[in-house]
Every structure is written in C-alpha cells, then in structure tokens.
Amino acid sequence: MTKTIRVNVTSVANAKAVRKEKRNGRDVIIVPSATLPDDIVMNGSLGPILYPADEIKKSFKGLERTPAPLGHPTINGKFVSASDPEGINIGHIGAWNENVRQEGGRVLLDKVIDVEVANRSAGGKAVLAAIEAGGPIHTSTGLLCTLEAVNDASSKHKHVARSMIFDHDAILLNEQGAASPEKGVGMLVNSSGQEEEIEVVNSTLVEEADREIDWAGTRLVEALRRRESIGTWDRIKAALLEAVGLSERATPTNTMKDDDMDQVQFDALSKKVDALSEAMKPDALATAIGNAITTAIRPLVDANATAVANAKATEDAEHAGLVEKVVKANLLDEATAKATPLNTLRALAPKTVPGKAAPLNAAVGKTAEGGGFKLPAGDKKE
C-alpha cells in the first residue's frame, strides 16, 4: 500500500558564495543552495524515510525554473502550490530556481532574485537585507511523493520515498525548521477538483543544521577575539619584554659615577648581566617566550571554554524539554527522541500541538480539463 505525502526539506544556503550579475539590463542576486543528498534518511512524524539516490536522480530536474517563494505559501491554513495563482500572489518576491544539477551526491541549485522586483514588497526587501547581512539563509524544498512501507523490522527506515514531484524551493526567514501551518496540511488537490487531505512531513538536513551551529559558534569566537585582541597583545608584549629583561616599566636613573661604584655593586651588576646573557641563549629564550605567551592567552582560553560550556548546558536543557514534548505527543519513542539532534526536535515541536490535517493542492500535474493535482503515473491511492 502506498500513501501520498508532501515533504518540506529544510537546509541552509551558502550565503558566503552570493554573487551579483546583470541580466537583460536588470540586477540579479544569485544565492547557491543545496538539498536532498543521495540516500539520505530523515525523520518525520511518520518515522524515518529513505530518499533513494535513484529516485532523486529521476526527479531532481523538475526543480529547474520553479518558483523560490518567501516561505511555503498557504491559504486559510492550507499549503498551496507555489505555482498556483494565489500561491504566486502570496509568496512571489521575484525569485526562482535554476542551474539544477547533481554534484558530489547531492542536488545543487541557484536561487536567482530580481532586485527590482524584490524591492517591490516588504518580504522581498527583508530577503535582500538578510543576504546583505551575511547570516545563514534557510531554504526549504516542497515536494510530493508516495511512501512505500518497509516491512523489514531490522531496517533503519520505515518508508521509502518514491515518484517525487518537486513544486518549489522556498526561502525561509524568521522560521524555525520546515514551515508548517498550525492547522491542516495540503495543497488542495486532485484532478476531479475534490479536496483531498495529504499529510505533511517536515524534515531538516542535520548536516546543514550543523553548519548553522558552526557559523554561530565561529561568529562568537571572532567577537571574543576582537574584544580581547588589544588587551591580549598588550599582555603578550609585556610578558615577552619582561622575559628578556626589557620591561617597559620605569627604572630609577642611576646617577652614580663610575668611580663611586663599590665592589658589592659591581658584583650585583655582573650577576644581572650574566643572568640576561643566559636568558638570551636560543633554548632559554624560546622557553621564556613560550611560557609568556601561554600565561598571556590563558584568560581568553578560559573565557571561551566557559562560554562554550554555558551554551552546551542551555542546549542540553532545551533538548531535554523537547524530548519530553515529542515523546508525550507520540511523535517519537524516548530512545529515538534522545538521539535526535536539537534542530530536528525544534522542527518537530509544532507537531506536538494537536491539529487537524488539512487538504493540499498542487499546481504540478494539472490537466487542461480538470485543473487539479494528478498523481504520478502508476501510483494509486489505496
């Protein structure tokens, strides 16, 4: 038995590789992005789903020239196709997907944004501002597929995704994880014009979530380094000078004449000269410099370690709370929930709120006569 579902796969675009071009005399911004690695297994409300490489290969080109709306367009709490006339009115910001290809075992594509069109709407302006700021930009691929149940109890996945039909790849701002309406799911569907409820599965590519965490951590470290850079160098400089006997501290002026120096003073001075000469030997100097640098940067290392520990404690507490929620909502068993990454649990959190599934309508697969959604050939609802 097969079941038709909609999947929203959230990932992070490569904001650092953004480029600008002129096309037909118009300014465009191009944002590289990626989705669906080969044979990826992603969790969802229906359990782990395998997206086979051969199924992705058969369908990924369907993303070429699809819309790149701001968010997944919805009408009255129901998903609609980004190519539906009302879906276009809701989500269009002058962006589309092109240059869709497979490289390195994953689907790569470019989002092209017409700057003039984007500036006509508040949402478009917000996207341009987010790109200019250089932060992580989430994208989310909306597709329809049929699920094939896996009866092998030892399998790590419960379903296999087949017959994928890509509708769009959206740009997400101010959304946590894959977007899903509070009420219902769906794209208002079928070829007879009747509404049909289709379940939505929200999934996040964990490796992309890790990239976002890495980006945030890197920015934190850079900020700490900038804040401490001046003070750190001052400490290192002072320690180095102290180590080689060239301290910048003020020293008393010696007004004693040479003739007035007694033997005791001469011997004391000789010892200082001998000590300095010994310190200036290569091995001793290297040791002194190493010790000085270690001492000087220790406060920065300790402060960074404390910040990392505090951040981990906060994330662990949030993870434990989300585990309790998804287990209580029967989305995952406790062992699976505890092993699920934090960003994935965040994406599942909205599912813990009771809601009624709603219909789904896809512009893909429309027929000239009916105008509704048409399932891929060979797939029948049972």
Side-chain angles (χ1 to χ4, degrees):
M1 179 177 180
T2 60
K3 176 180 182 179
T4 301
I5 66 167
R6 165 171 167 155
V7 181
N8 297 327
V9 182
T10 300
S11 56
V12 180
N14 187 2
K16 294 182 179 179
V18 170
R19 63 187 188 274
K20 299 179 180 180
E21 292 183 3
K22 280 276 190 183
R23 293 191 180 182
N24 299 316
R26 301 175 69 84
D27 293 320
V28 298
I29 293 177
I30 301 173
V31 184
S33 60
T35 187
L36 282 182
D38 286 349
D39 298 314
I40 185 73
V41 175
M42 289 185 286
N43 288 323
S45 58
L46 300 177
I49 302 173
L50 169 67
Y51 297 82
D54 59 338
E55 292 289 341
I56 296 173
K57 185 176 181 179
K58 288 190 294 186
S59 60
F60 79 91
K61 290 184 180 179
L63 270 172
E64 187 70 37
R65 305 293 290 182
T66 57
L70 176 56
H72 298 291
T74 62
I75 299 175
N76 298 324
K78 303 171 185 177
F79 284 115
V80 296
S81 169
S83 298
D84 181 271
E86 289 187 272
I88 293 173
N89 289 343
I90 293 169
H92 183 61
I93 57 168
W96 65 93
N97 302 298
E98 68 174 31
N99 191 26
V100 182
R101 69 245 184 233
Q102 273 192 315
E103 293 179 10
R106 67 186 310 152
V107 177
L108 305 181
L109 62 155
D110 294 337
K111 285 180 171 43
V112 182
I113 305 173
D114 186 306
V115 174
E116 180 182 336
V117 176
N119 274 311
R120 294 174 188 169
S121 65
K125 291 178 181 178
V127 169
L128 296 179
I131 293 172
E132 186 67 25
I137 305 294
H138 285 83
T139 63
S140 188
T141 306
L143 61 94
L144 292 178
C145 67
T146 58
L147 290 188
E148 179 182 284
V150 175
N151 297 321
D152 184 356
S154 64
S155 175
K156 294 183 179 179
H157 53 274
K158 294 183 178 180
H159 304 277
V160 177
R162 304 288 188 193
S163 303
M164 301 178 197
I165 300 177
F166 290 89
D167 183 72
H168 64 273
D169 194 41
I171 299 170
L172 304 184
L173 292 182
N174 305 316
E175 294 186 38
Q176 187 175 13
S180 74
E182 293 181 1
K183 297 181 180 179
V185 292
M187 289 174 98
L188 304 175
V189 309
N190 62 36
S191 58
S192 64
Q194 297 176 345
E195 291 189 353
E196 177 184 11
E197 291 187 355
I198 296 182
E199 186 165 358
V200 168
V201 173
N202 293 322
S203 297
T204 300
L205 295 178
V206 174
E207 61 186 80
E208 301 297 346
D210 288 343
R211 275 175 51 187
E212 181 180 356
I213 294 172
D214 291 342
W215 177 87
T218 301
R219 293 296 295 271
L220 174 61
V221 172
E222 289 175 355
L224 288 173
R225 284 176 178 169
R226 286 196 299 270
R227 182 178 180 183
E228 295 291 335
S229 60
I230 297 177
T232 299
W233 170 241
D234 285 343
R235 293 195 299 273
I236 292 175
K237 180 180 177 182
L240 290 173
L241 293 175
E242 186 75 25
V244 299
L246 299 175
S247 174
E248 291 182 317
R249 297 173 185 171
T251 56
T253 301
N254 186 2
T255 59
M256 184 183 295
K257 295 181 180 180
D258 292 341
D259 294 342
D260 295 333
M261 181 179 294
D262 58 24
Q263 186 63 40
V264 175
Q265 291 172 322
F266 179 81
D267 290 343
L269 179 60
S270 295
K271 290 180 180 180
K272 290 183 178 180
V273 172
D274 291 342
L276 179 59
S277 298
E278 187 68 25
M280 293 299 290
K281 290 181 179 180
D283 291 343
L285 182 59
T287 300
I289 291 175
N291 292 338
I293 291 175
T294 299
T295 300
I297 68 173
R298 173 55 58 187
L300 178 59
V301 173
D302 290 344
N304 186 51
T306 300
V308 171
N310 290 340
K312 186 177 185 305
T314 299
E315 289 188 355
D316 288 345
E318 183 183 2
H319 188 277
L322 290 175
V323 165
E324 183 178 357
K325 285 185 178 180
V326 299
V327 171
K328 187 176 293 184
N330 293 320
L331 296 180
L332 298 172
D333 59 69
E334 185 173 2
T336 302
K338 288 182 176 179
T340 300
L342 178 58
N343 267 25
T344 303
L345 290 175
R346 288 171 176 164
L348 287 174
K351 290 282 188 179
T352 63
V353 179
K356 180 178 180 298
L360 179 74
N361 177 26
V364 274
K366 284 186 178 179
T367 62
E369 297 80 17
F373 178 75
K374 182 179 179 182
L375 290 176
D379 289 316
K380 297 181 179 180
K381 300 247 338 167
E382 296 179 6

